[in-house]
């Protein structure tokens, strides 16, 4: 199947990044969200990031202008019905995703491929709530999307070979690399990454080290580009907690139990960069550890 027009549900950090790379690769993109402010912010963010690519001579001004011209936005979910590929990039809650698919399904073309950018939720289970489990896949981009090269492709139990091959071709057209993952909780990247972040939070919780010492130790001692607590703030502590809960529930192993301190931060609304406070306070000129 040839993919020409792509619909994206969710204009947040992941949604606008996905729109950016698809538009730059020549696809027509329609971005949907329930908030006009979110849609406006997405266009501003994509424009800023494209401008940065122009300034670094990675793309030309003409390529930037053409990419922006390919992006449209809508508050009406039904307008995604005539797209060839839909990528759901809403919040990491299964009930929210299922509600989106339920609203969208009556408006889709029979051949439209339906995907989720979920970082942890069962693809088989999500697909079973739709009318096209054979045309449903996990399509997990890494954050920030314009920078990160990897895309995880996750087949549900019913996903057919044509759908997989089509999305494999799409990934290649975006100049990214696909990694095929089995449909187990959190797939590959987050199955490894999130327990590490959770263990870093436990290290803080138990007083083994401060925020600064934990992050510096992993950057200087393990050559990580970001410390685990800094990375958690970048991802969003609510997302980290949601993924740890999926791992804990799905694998029934106590080693995946979310750290109580992570839960406390989320309950306080300190979700990281997007709320200006997490393991660091971002309200000043430079981030300051909160513990």
């Amino acid at each position: 199947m040839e993919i020409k027009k792509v619909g994206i549900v969710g204009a947040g950090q992941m949604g606008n990044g996905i729109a950016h790379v698809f538009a730059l690769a020549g696809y027509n993109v329609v971005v949907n969200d329930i908030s006009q402010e979110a849609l406006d912010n997405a266009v501003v963010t994509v424009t800023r990031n494209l401008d940065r690519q122009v300034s670094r001579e990675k793309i030309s001004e003409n390529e930037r202008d053409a990419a922006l011209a390919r992006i449209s936005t809508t508050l009406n979910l039904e307008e995604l019905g005539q797209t060839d590929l839909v990528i759901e990039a809403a919040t990491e809650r299964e009930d929210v995703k299922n509600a989106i698919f339920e609203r969208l399904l009556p408006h889709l073309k029979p051949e439209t491929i339906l995907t989720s950018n979920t970082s942890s939720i069962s693809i088989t289970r999500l697909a079973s709530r739709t009318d096209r489990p054979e045309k449903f896949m996990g399509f997990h981009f890494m954050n920030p999307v314009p920078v990160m090269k990897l895309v995880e492709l996750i087949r549900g139990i019913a996903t057919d070979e044509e759908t997989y091959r089509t999305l494999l071709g799409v990934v290649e057209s975006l100049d990214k690399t696909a990694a095929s993952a089995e449909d187990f909780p959190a797939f590959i990247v987050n199955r490894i990454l999130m327990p590490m972040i959770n263990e870093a939070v436990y290290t803080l919780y138990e007083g083994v080290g401060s925020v600064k010492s934990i992050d510096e130790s992993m950057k200087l001692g393990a050559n990580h580009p970001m410390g685990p607590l800094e990375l958690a703030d970048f991802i969003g502590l609510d997302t980290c907690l949601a993924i740890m809960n999926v791992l804990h529930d799905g694998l029934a192993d106590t080693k995946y139990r979310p750290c109580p301190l992570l839960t406390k931060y989320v309950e306080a609304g300190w979700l990281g960069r997007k709320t200006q406070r997490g393991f660091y306070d971002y309200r000043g000129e430079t981030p300051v550890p909160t513990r």
Side-chain angles (χ1 to χ4, degrees), residues 69-266:
R70 295 186 191 105
I71 299 174
S72 61
T73 63
T74 180
L75 292 169
N76 186 357
L77 185 64
E78 290 73 18
E79 288 189 25
L80 273 58
Q82 294 307 304
T83 59
D84 306 310
L85 167 65
V86 173
I87 304 168
E88 172 274 314
T91 187
E92 192 70 354
R93 284 176 48 194
E94 190 167 347
D95 58 335
V96 171
K97 296 179 186 299
N98 284 331
I100 289 169
F101 296 142
E102 184 177 348
R103 282 186 55 203
L104 187 58
L105 286 172
H107 307 281
L108 293 179
K109 299 184 296 183
E111 65 271 21
T112 297
I113 293 175
L114 194 55
T115 69
S116 176
N117 185 57
T118 178
S119 53
S120 61
I121 298 170
S122 167
I123 299 303
T124 297
R125 196 163 62 240
L126 289 173
S128 71
R129 299 288 296 272
T130 76
D131 62 356
R132 60 195 68 208
E134 72 286 350
K135 291 187 176 298
F136 193 105
M137 273 194 68
F139 205 26
H140 182 214
F141 289 80
M142 305 295 122
N143 185 33
V145 181
V147 176
M148 304 297 280
K149 298 290 286 185
L150 184 72
V151 181
E152 284 183 318
L153 294 181
I154 307 100
R155 281 179 277 197
I157 194 171
T159 305
D160 63 27
E161 186 67 16
E162 182 185 7
T163 299
Y164 172 74
R165 291 293 172 189
T166 299
L167 290 186
L168 191 62
V170 170
V171 173
E172 292 173 353
S173 74
L174 299 176
D175 193 28
K176 294 189 181 295
T177 299
S180 296
E182 292 298 320
D183 188 18
F184 283 90
F187 319 129
I188 296 173
V189 173
N190 283 321
R191 173 75 177 266
I192 297 167
L193 176 63
M194 286 302 158
M196 183 198 76
I197 288 176
N198 193 53
E199 194 63 28
V201 182
Y202 266 114
T203 304
L204 178 65
Y205 178 62
E206 294 168 1
V208 179
S210 65
V211 169
K212 183 178 179 181
S213 62
I214 291 167
D215 277 351
E216 285 192 345
S217 293
M218 294 307 293
K219 285 192 286 187
L220 300 178
N223 205 28
H224 289 192
M226 297 175 71
L229 301 177
E230 180 186 6
L231 180 57
D233 276 357
F234 182 76
I235 294 168
L237 303 192
D238 53 338
T239 300
C240 294
L241 179 60
I243 295 171
M244 288 308 303
N245 280 327
V246 167
L247 281 166
H248 190 226
D249 295 343
L251 298 174
D253 193 323
T254 55
K255 73 178 180 181
Y256 298 116
R257 182 173 70 94
C259 179
L261 184 60
L262 178 60
T263 302
K264 183 179 291 186
Y265 269 69
V266 173

Side-chain angles (χ1 to χ4, degrees), residues 233 265 269-278 281-283:
D233 276 357
Y265 269 69
W270 291 19
L271 308 182
R273 285 182 175 270
K274 60 187 172 185
T275 60
Q276 297 297 299
R277 278 193 292 187
D281 189 326
Y282 299 92
R283 293 174 296 175

